[in-house]
Amino acid sequence: MENYDLIIRPKRHAFDINFKEIWAYRDLLKMFVKRDIITIYKQTVLGPIWFIVQPIMTTLIYIVVFGNIAKISTDGVPQALFYLAGITIWNYFAESFNTTAKTFTENAAIFGKVYFPRLIMPFAKVTSGLIKFGIQFMLFMAVYLYYIFSGDTSVNPNWNIALLPVYILLMAAYGLGAGIIFTSLTTKYRDLTFLLAFGVQLLMYASPVIYPVSTIENPKLQLIALYNPFTPILEGFKYAFLGAGHFSWFSLGYSAAVAAILLVSGIVIFHKTERNFIDTV
């Protein structure tokens, strides 16, 4: 009797997810991450420098438009530092969501020819996005340390900096969960792809990326803003490094609960879709 190293069985139900198999393919995950990092800027002039140029240019635009023209408060924090803080943590979610949302449509050819756990692909996108986040975070830290050592008293770091891994993990969960739900829907409803960029941009303006919650004077609107699950992450990140913002354990727990529900739902929907998506993509 022959022994097989790998046995591929049909999925019995939507919750039949083999995480042990995903772990066994971790080398493939590393390969996809390396591919994403190398190929994105392979034929560009500046290469990975674009990771730094993008947040710098965005910050400058925000300073001119929202800081000087619209006169939106930054809670007494230097504008460059306030906007860069919001951009850095938000870009990780946006990058994770945008890339994982195209998983099925961009990889239909390889999915139809080679077997491997399909979740490897979105996991690789979120992991490669973490490298981009690390580069942009170093830029933020360079500007941050400049203000610290220049004696700017408006910047007040605190012990909440220790929660940085939690904020990163939550943004990864939101990006992955929302992305794999979106890509599952686009296998049948292709026109949803046109809403991708617009939806992320709209969601950014609905979240306290370029403004603090304290600037919302209407109590009802402020309550709505606090119920936004991204608010505890964005406000908490700014509060940790800048000392300006809103933080509470209840809000962070609420955001974590929503992220967990979104991620579990996304994995289940993705797992259910992958069984027959090749017939509709």
Side-chain angles (χ1 to χ4, degrees), residues 73-78 81-82 85-86 140 144 153-158 160 167 208-209 211-215 231-247:
S73 171
T74 57
D75 275 347
V77 176
L81 202 55
F82 181 87
F140 166 72
Y144 179 73
T153 57
S154 63
V155 181
N156 301 295
N158 54 74
N160 281 39
Y167 297 135
V209 177
Y211 59 87
V213 174
S214 60
T215 60
T231 298
I233 304 173
L234 294 165
E235 287 284 291
F237 182 85
K238 293 174 183 176
Y239 178 78
F241 287 92
L242 310 178
H246 171 79
F247 173 81

Side-chain angles (χ1 to χ4, degrees), residues 27-192:
D27 290 336
L28 182 63
L29 172 67
K30 296 177 183 177
M31 186 189 74
F32 281 139
V33 171
K34 184 178 179 180
R35 181 201 65 175
D36 290 341
I37 296 299
I38 293 176
T39 58
I40 289 178
Y41 297 105
K42 186 176 182 180
Q43 295 181 332
T44 60
V45 177
L46 298 180
I49 297 178
W50 280 111
F51 288 159
I52 298 176
V53 173
Q54 290 170 348
I56 290 177
M57 296 303 297
T58 304
T59 299
L60 292 176
I61 293 173
Y62 286 173
I63 290 175
V64 173
V65 176
F66 299 107
N68 296 335
I69 297 178
K71 303 293 183 181
I72 296 177
S73 171
T74 57
D75 275 347
V77 176
Q79 292 179 352
L81 202 55
F82 181 87
Y83 293 130
L84 192 57
I87 291 170
T88 300
I89 191 68
W90 177 262
N91 276 355
Y92 180 47
F93 161 75
E95 176 75 12
S96 299
F97 176 65
N98 285 328
T99 52
T100 56
K102 302 173 184 176
T103 299
F104 282 132
T105 54
E106 289 188 348
N107 300 282
I110 189 173
F111 283 174
K113 296 177 181 178
V114 182
Y115 173 79
F116 60 89
R118 305 312 186 199
L119 278 172
I120 288 289
M121 194 65 76
F123 283 162
K125 297 296 184 181
V126 173
T127 305
S128 59
L130 189 61
I131 297 175
K132 180 177 179 180
F133 167 79
I135 296 174
Q136 295 184 350
F137 182 73
M138 286 190 290
L139 170 64
F140 166 72
M141 287 303 299
V143 178
Y144 179 73
L145 291 175
Y146 166 78
Y147 281 100
I148 289 291
F149 289 117
S150 65
D152 194 317
T153 57
S154 63
V155 181
N156 301 295
N158 54 74
W159 67 268
N160 281 39
I161 289 179
L163 293 175
L164 176 62
V166 176
Y167 297 135
I168 297 174
L169 184 62
L170 287 177
M171 278 304 196
Y174 278 112
L176 178 61
I180 57 181
I181 289 176
F182 195 91
T183 192
S184 299
L185 293 176
T186 54
T187 58
K188 291 185 178 180
Y189 311 104
R190 297 296 293 272
D191 53 342
L192 288 177

Side-chain angles (χ1 to χ4, degrees), residues 216-262:
I216 305 176
E217 297 180 356
N218 189 308
K220 292 183 179 180
L221 292 179
Q222 189 176 80
L223 185 62
I224 293 174
L226 292 175
Y227 274 112
N228 180 342
F230 289 102
T231 298
I233 304 173
L234 294 165
E235 287 284 291
F237 182 85
K238 293 174 183 176
Y239 178 78
F241 287 92
L242 310 178
H246 171 79
F247 173 81
S248 76
W249 287 108
F250 175 80
S251 298
L252 187 61
Y254 160 74
S255 181
V258 175
I261 294 172
L262 183 68

